[in-house]
Amino acid sequence: MIDESIAKFAEETVREIEEALSTDEPFSEEIFTRLILERLEEAGHMEGTFPLYQQGRVKNAIYRIDGYAFDEERSRLELFTTIYMEELPPARLPAAEVTKAFERAIRFVSACVDGLASQLEPSNSDASDLARLIEGQVATLGSVKIILLTNGIVGNLAESADWRDRKVEFEAYDIVRLHRVLGLGETRADIVVDLEALTGAAVPCLHVPSPAGEYDAYLSVLPGEVLSKIYDRYGVRLLELNVRAFLGLQGRKSVNAELRRTIVDQPSMFLAFNNGIVATVDDLEIERDGAGGPVIKSLKGLQIVNGGQTTASLHRARRKESLDIGNVAVPIKIIKVGGADLSEMVSSISRAANRQNTVQLADFSASDPFHQQIETLANNTWLDDGKSRWFYERARGSYLAAETKAGYRKSDQQAFRTQTPRQRRLGKIDVARYLSAWSGLPYRVCLGGQKNFQHYMQRLKDSAPPPPDAAWFKRLIALAILYRAVEKKIRGMKFPAYGAQITAYVVAGIAHKTGGRIDFERLWSRQAVSVELERLVEAWAPQLDALMRRSAGQRNPSEWYKKEDCWADIQRQLPALSDPLPPEISHGEAGEIETGATAGILSVADYERIERCMQVSSATWMEVAELGQKAGVVHWRVAAICRTLAGYATSGWDRKPSYKQAKPAMEAFLAAERAGVLTSSSADATNLS
């Protein structure tokens, strides 16, 4: 008999798929795959996933996948295969059906290696890009994993299968596991590390209990290869509670570059030179060795709180660079939290462990005050009808928990769904995605939910903006409505590839062309975009797709779209706005999302002047002000505006010119240029006349 909470979770999942069916993809399995991958990314179980349904034949055998993820750092390919069932309650999947799904996915990999890409023309499809990627990476591919996504129940799985002299791992997220991960919000429980199996023996340790019983500490040393294998198995899930993303190896003074040099030149000195790692566990299995000393057999719920760079660097050295790390030993401090609060304990450990590092760190946990403030605003900010609001899912599973809490009486549950329907739910990953795209960082959005979120939180920490208020929250929701409308329109246009990336670039393009000014109040009040704005998206999307493809050239598109250079290239070629403008754009705001002061009605000419202002450098605006005023061709009041724009330019145009600033400023620029007062060194190359 299936657990009641799992049955309810399964019912909610099916209902959500059915609700999306009429307006989204035409197939339930596609919707299920997309939603589950998005939420598993948010839960930290996946990274950089792409839904992709591809089925075909090799001779008389069928191949099929429903999505993929490629981790370049770990040289790891993950392919997703989906089995979706509409029947309730969830049924157990026949073992033969599960095996068949895995076999079809393996056939796809084999077909790619054998030249499938040439058969998947036109070349501008996700499948052909993936096939070329697999064909090109097969020689260095570290591992392949096939992951089954299903709302059924899966029994025991075979751990792996042999494929072309390497092992292919199998994994499944069935409704039971999805409920545990997404419904209950647990993300660490199924991380179990068998140290005895990895090292051949239990690992000796020194047990140091805390006097007050808040925790137990265990000091030990792990072989570098063991740490690398653990990271190979679990990836970023080990870093869920970590406060820092892996920073890369660029730069001579990089911490990670120093780690690499030690691995290459003095591997036996790694323990002496390295501070080691700090980890927390939910539980661990301890025994006594022959001499009576404590040894660790296994770890449950392992999280690396400090030392993510060390872990990722060791893995990269072994997997990507084939360096020998057999003589590398890593000191490790393992904390088992007892009576203390885990999240607070981890936060304190993180701050203390990283205090000596000059890198600015960001706390990515749901307990961050920023996210608590958004949750409070969501709970207290009602729509204009006074009857409904948006739900901010600060912690995973909180929407389901709130719905369950309201569901003790049927009338209460119905009221909750009316007040906060599923389509008005948003989480931390969503907030980072919407604000990053609107801030001109679509390439960061293309990194995937978790990585973009980490970058966003770091920017937030660096800039230290004022706490969000009700006006800020309404503009956030306006952006959510805009982004989701663009996403829905592009999804309905059935692009053969990269719909999510096109969405991010279209939203960023609109923000760039409008200087970040749209009628947020209208979007909030109507909770929908206008037909005219939908038409603009429909016109822009194919043009952006073509621009992005052309910019990628011979590069892998999915990787190129993650680069800042890609956006720099695209924004110079964005489609032009045309009259009549959509009402959201013709009625602008005098500032960015943070300001909210209302301005007048804008035309295409106004936006063109704003864009041209932003093509002028800070030094040139200062020359327009100083030399233009001195020559008598620029009024002192207009010179003050030019100085203001020079300040905007210095800060990278974080703040955009208003249309009231742009018109006199451009007139002043042209007057100074005609008077010949601008020096050749500072006059901009772009012809603005």
Side-chain angles (χ1 to χ4, degrees):
M1 184 70 179
I2 190 169
D3 182 87
E4 183 179 347
S5 62
I6 296 175
K8 180 177 174 59
F9 178 76
E11 182 182 341
E12 291 292 329
T13 302
V14 171
R15 186 200 308 162
E16 189 169 6
I17 301 302
E18 289 175 347
E19 288 174 356
L21 195 57
S22 58
T23 57
D24 252 313
E25 294 97 335
F27 301 110
S28 301
E29 285 192 333
E30 290 186 26
I31 300 173
F32 177 79
T33 302
R34 176 174 56 81
L35 289 177
I36 295 302
L37 289 180
E38 285 177 357
R39 288 171 190 174
L40 286 174
E41 277 209 38
E42 184 175 354
H45 278 235
M46 306 288 180
E47 185 175 10
T49 62
F50 294 93
L52 169 62
Y53 172 78
Q54 182 65 27
Q55 180 171 305
R57 283 185 175 274
V58 177
K59 297 180 180 178
N60 293 323
I62 294 175
Y63 65 75
R64 172 181 164 174
I65 61 167
D66 292 88
Y68 75 97
F70 179 68
D71 187 332
E72 187 175 2
E73 286 296 329
R74 293 191 288 164
S75 296
R76 187 185 190 93
L77 174 68
E78 294 178 336
L79 295 176
F80 305 104
T81 181
T82 298
I83 299 177
Y84 177 75
M85 302 184 300
E86 295 180 353
E87 63 181 273
L88 293 170
R92 183 173 290 273
L93 293 177
E97 188 174 354
V98 173
T99 301
K100 186 184 296 183
F102 285 134
E103 289 175 346
R104 288 176 173 175
I106 293 175
R107 283 194 203 108
F108 175 79
V109 186
S110 296
C112 292
V113 175
D114 294 335
L116 178 63
S118 62
Q119 304 170 32
L120 292 175
E121 299 300 334
S123 60
N124 66 337
S125 73
D126 274 330
S128 60
D129 287 337
L130 174 60
R132 282 193 294 273
L133 176 67
I134 293 173
E135 186 178 359
Q137 295 282 341
V138 66
T140 57
L141 204 57
S143 62
V144 178
K145 180 185 283 188
I146 312 296
I147 301 174
L148 173 64
L149 308 175
T150 180
N151 62 335
I153 301 172
V154 177
N156 295 329
L157 289 177
E159 291 186 1
S160 63
D162 292 323
W163 175 77
R164 302 199 180 202
D165 299 325
R166 57 164 57 92
K167 292 287 186 183
V168 175
E169 301 174 68
F170 297 137
E171 191 173 356
Y173 281 85
D174 66 355
I175 197 67
V176 177
R177 188 178 182 189
L178 289 172
H179 173 252
R180 186 171 70 245
V181 173
L182 304 178
L184 299 178
E186 295 180 5
T187 60
R188 306 185 309 273
D190 56 345
I191 297 181
V192 179
V193 178
D194 188 339
L195 291 176
E196 197 169 33
L198 284 171
T199 64
V203 177
C205 68
L206 174 65
H207 178 207
V208 186
S210 72
E214 300 100 328
Y215 65 88
D216 282 279
Y218 300 85
L219 308 179
S220 188
V221 175
L222 287 180
E225 284 194 351
V226 168
L227 195 57
S228 173
K229 288 177 181 177
I230 294 171
Y231 184 76
D232 194 49
R233 172 69 177 83
Y234 294 106
V236 292
R237 290 176 57 201
L238 291 170
L239 312 178
E240 176 199 351
L241 299 177
N242 202 330
V243 295
R244 165 171 42 187
F246 180 50
L247 301 177
L249 290 162
Q250 291 77 20
R252 293 181 60 188
K253 295 184 179 180
S254 163
V255 174
N256 300 310
E258 290 292 340
L259 291 175
R260 185 186 182 281
R261 274 193 285 272
T262 303
I263 293 169
V264 173
D265 300 331
Q266 298 174 286
S268 62
M269 298 299 293
F270 194 91
L271 186 145
F273 293 167
N274 190 264
N275 290 333
I277 65 177
V278 181
T280 62
V281 293
D282 295 338
D283 201 3
L284 69 171
E285 187 179 358
I286 297 288
E287 284 188 349
R288 296 283 172 177
D289 61 14
V295 291
I296 305 173
K297 291 187 65 179
S298 65
L299 305 169
K300 182 178 181 182
L302 176 66
Q303 288 286 287
I304 296 174
V305 178
N306 177 249
Q309 293 182 78
T310 298
T311 306
S313 294
L314 285 170
H315 181 271
R316 180 185 180 119
R318 185 174 73 95
R319 277 292 192 194
K320 291 285 289 181
E321 302 182 65
S322 300
L323 298 178
D324 182 9
I325 60 173
N327 293 324
V328 171
V330 184
I332 179 172
K333 178 168 63 177
I334 302 170
I335 306 294
K336 180 188 175 185
V337 178
D341 177 76
L342 176 63
S343 60
E344 181 58 36
M345 186 76 163
V346 167
S347 180
S348 299
I349 293 170
S350 299
R351 284 194 296 269
N354 288 289
R355 192 167 287 139
Q356 74 276 17
N357 199 307
T358 57
V359 178
Q360 287 291 321
L361 307 177
D363 178 8
F364 303 139
S365 72
S367 61
D368 187 278
F370 175 72
H371 299 292
Q372 293 176 338
Q373 290 159 355
I374 297 179
E375 183 181 50
T376 300
L377 288 167
N379 291 337
N380 297 321
T381 307
W382 295 81
L383 301 188
D384 292 350
D385 61 11
K387 298 177 182 178
S388 53
R389 55 190 170 90
W390 282 68
F391 187 96
Y392 185 60
E393 197 165 33
R394 178 170 62 89
R396 287 183 299 277
S398 59
Y399 182 89
L400 185 64
E403 187 179 43
T404 301
K405 184 178 179 181
Y408 295 125
R409 290 187 302 178
K410 193 169 184 179
S411 59
D412 291 342
Q413 189 176 67
Q414 186 59 43
F416 177 84
R417 290 174 180 167
T418 301
Q419 289 177 359
T420 52
R422 282 185 177 274
Q423 63 267 29
R424 289 192 184 135
R425 176 181 65 181
L426 77 161
K428 301 188 298 294
I429 299 293
D430 297 320
V431 170
R433 180 185 299 124
Y434 305 152
L435 293 176
S436 294
W438 192 253
S439 299
L441 302 169
Y443 53 93
R444 290 273 174 81
V445 177
C446 293
L447 289 171
Q450 281 294 333
K451 284 188 177 179
N452 177 59
F453 176 70
Q454 291 170 359
H455 282 293
Y456 174 74
M457 289 303 295
Q458 185 65 60
R459 292 201 316 276
L460 196 71
K461 185 179 181 68
D462 292 340
S463 60
D469 55 16
W472 182 94
F473 179 75
K474 288 182 178 180
R475 291 189 288 275
L476 168 66
I477 297 304
L479 279 185
I481 292 165
L482 171 66
Y483 197 101
R484 291 180 179 186
V486 173
E487 191 173 43
K488 181 179 176 182
K489 171 59 71 174
I490 289 174
R491 194 175 289 133
M493 294 173 73
K494 301 297 179 188
F495 283 92
Y498 307 115
Q501 291 90 331
I502 297 170
T503 297
Y505 274 80
V506 166
V507 172
I510 292 173
H512 183 77
K513 276 292 188 180
T514 62
R517 290 175 179 79
I518 59 170
D519 191 348
F520 294 109
E521 188 59 41
R522 176 191 173 96
L523 288 168
W524 166 263
S525 299
R526 302 198 177 198
Q527 293 289 299
V529 302
S530 67
V531 174
E532 293 85 351
L533 186 55
E534 286 187 347
R535 288 175 185 152
L536 183 147
V537 173
E538 193 172 13
W540 272 32
Q543 297 180 65
L544 262 295
D545 180 38
L547 284 173
M548 292 162 68
R549 287 282 182 181
R550 191 159 57 245
S551 177
Q554 297 302 309
R555 308 176 188 92
N556 179 267
S558 64
E559 293 304 311
W560 175 241
Y561 299 159
K562 300 173 185 176
K563 308 294 185 184
E564 185 175 1
D565 288 346
C566 177
W567 170 238
D569 184 36
I570 296 299
Q571 68 179 337
R572 290 193 293 265
Q573 309 173 62
L574 288 169
L577 294 171
S578 59
D579 287 319
L581 291 169
E584 294 91 342
I585 296 177
S586 62
H587 183 95
E589 286 190 349
E592 294 186 76
I593 184 171
E594 292 82 4
T595 61
T598 303
I601 304 301
L602 275 68
S603 66
V604 169
D606 290 318
Y607 283 117
E608 287 177 347
R609 278 190 287 267
I610 291 170
E611 186 175 10
R612 292 165 77 188
C613 279
M614 293 168 62
Q615 295 171 356
V616 179
S617 68
S618 176
T620 301
W621 278 125
M622 286 302 297
E623 285 202 350
V624 171
E626 302 294 338
L627 302 181
Q629 186 178 353
K630 186 176 180 179
V633 296
V634 176
H635 191 275
W636 66 268
R637 287 179 179 171
V638 179
I641 294 174
C642 295
R643 292 188 186 95
T644 299
L645 296 192
Y648 291 174
T650 300
S651 63
W653 298 107
D654 287 339
R655 187 169 180 180
K656 311 296 191 297
S658 71
Y659 78 100
K660 290 182 178 179
Q661 292 171 318
K663 191 173 188 296
M666 282 311 304
E667 290 173 352
F669 175 88
L670 295 174
E673 191 176 51
R674 284 193 297 269
V677 299
L678 302 183
T679 67
S680 58
S681 61
S682 63
D684 292 88
T686 306
N687 183 10
L688 298 174
S689 58

